[in-house]
Amino acid sequence: MAQDILIIEEVDVRRADDPDDTRVLTVTKVGLPEIKRKEAEHTPGGGVGSVKFLLPMADSIEPKFSVKGLDLDVLRKYGFSAGQHDKWTFAASLRNKRTNKLVSVRSTIQGIVSTWSPGEHTPGELLDCDHTLAEVTYYDLVINGEEIFAWSFYGRYWRSGGIDLFAEYRNALGA
């Protein structure tokens, strides 16, 4: 069967510990982070070429979002909030064009707002402000209540499709 067409209709970004901290009226872009596996390139001395072997690790994760106007909450709590990493909820509603039903998307991301980039301001227009999170230590993606993947630096797991890709490594280390 052909894949369904899912169209994004709404997005939001909020602090996960404060459900009233919605940016639904100011957010203009949400960039879920790229998930890329680490690679180790090997060129054998007697080989005919190189191979990039994939490792059971992820490269650093850097989600982004943009808002119209100044987000004073982000600026007041820039970087660390109460001495801890901020935990964010990125949310979206998608429309399944075949069934006409809404599909919910939720991502929880724990990291630090590392970049605040205000655009140029023109009188009569709202200022664009871009935000990037770094030092991400947790990231999950849940679509319509189903965990698609979850990655935790400190938990030392990476689940994809319900399978923990790092379980055998923890077991081998006796952890």
Side-chain angles (χ1 to χ4, degrees):
M1 175 183 271
Q3 294 288 322
D4 288 337
I5 297 171
L6 302 173
I7 305 294
I8 295 175
E9 291 190 351
E10 293 184 313
V11 295
D12 189 17
V13 174
R14 64 180 74 119
R15 291 186 187 277
D17 61 353
D18 184 0
D20 294 329
D21 180 49
T22 180
R23 287 165 180 74
V24 73
L25 297 178
T26 59
V27 70
T28 57
K29 288 188 266 181
V30 172
L32 290 177
E34 172 184 70
I35 299 295
K36 183 179 179 194
R37 290 182 71 153
K38 283 243 179 247
E39 299 173 344
E41 187 168 345
H42 174 61
T43 306
V48 295
S50 299
V51 174
K52 286 186 178 179
F53 290 106
L54 296 177
L55 302 174
M57 302 172 193
D59 277 336
S60 59
I61 297 170
E62 295 186 348
K64 301 175 181 184
F65 67 94
S66 298
V67 297
K68 287 288 190 183
L70 291 175
D71 189 326
L72 295 178
D73 174 65
V74 170
L75 292 177
R76 287 185 187 113
K77 300 175 185 174
Y78 185 75
F80 287 97
S81 174
Q84 299 180 3
H85 289 78
D86 292 327
K87 191 174 272 190
W88 296 88
T89 299
F90 284 46
S93 61
L94 309 177
R95 177 77 57 189
N96 183 321
K97 296 308 282 183
R98 183 177 55 79
T99 65
N100 201 36
K101 292 186 179 177
L102 279 179
V103 175
S104 68
V105 177
R106 294 276 182 282
S107 181
T108 303
I109 300 170
Q110 188 162 344
I112 298 171
V113 175
S114 64
T115 305
W116 174 67
S117 179
E120 295 180 5
H121 182 71
T122 303
E125 295 181 10
L126 294 173
L127 178 67
D128 288 311
C129 292
D130 298 327
H131 306 79
T132 304
L133 279 72
E135 205 172 305
V136 172
T137 57
Y138 180 84
Y139 176 35
D140 70 21
L141 179 66
V142 176
I143 298 178
N144 247 13
E146 176 190 352
E147 180 186 270
I148 303 302
F149 64 81
W151 177 90
S152 174
F153 176 81
Y154 291 111
R156 297 184 57 238
Y157 62 82
W158 181 350
R159 290 190 304 267
S160 182
I163 298 169
D164 186 344
L165 304 174
F166 207 69
E168 67 179 325
Y169 297 94
R170 287 193 312 274
N171 290 337
L173 294 174

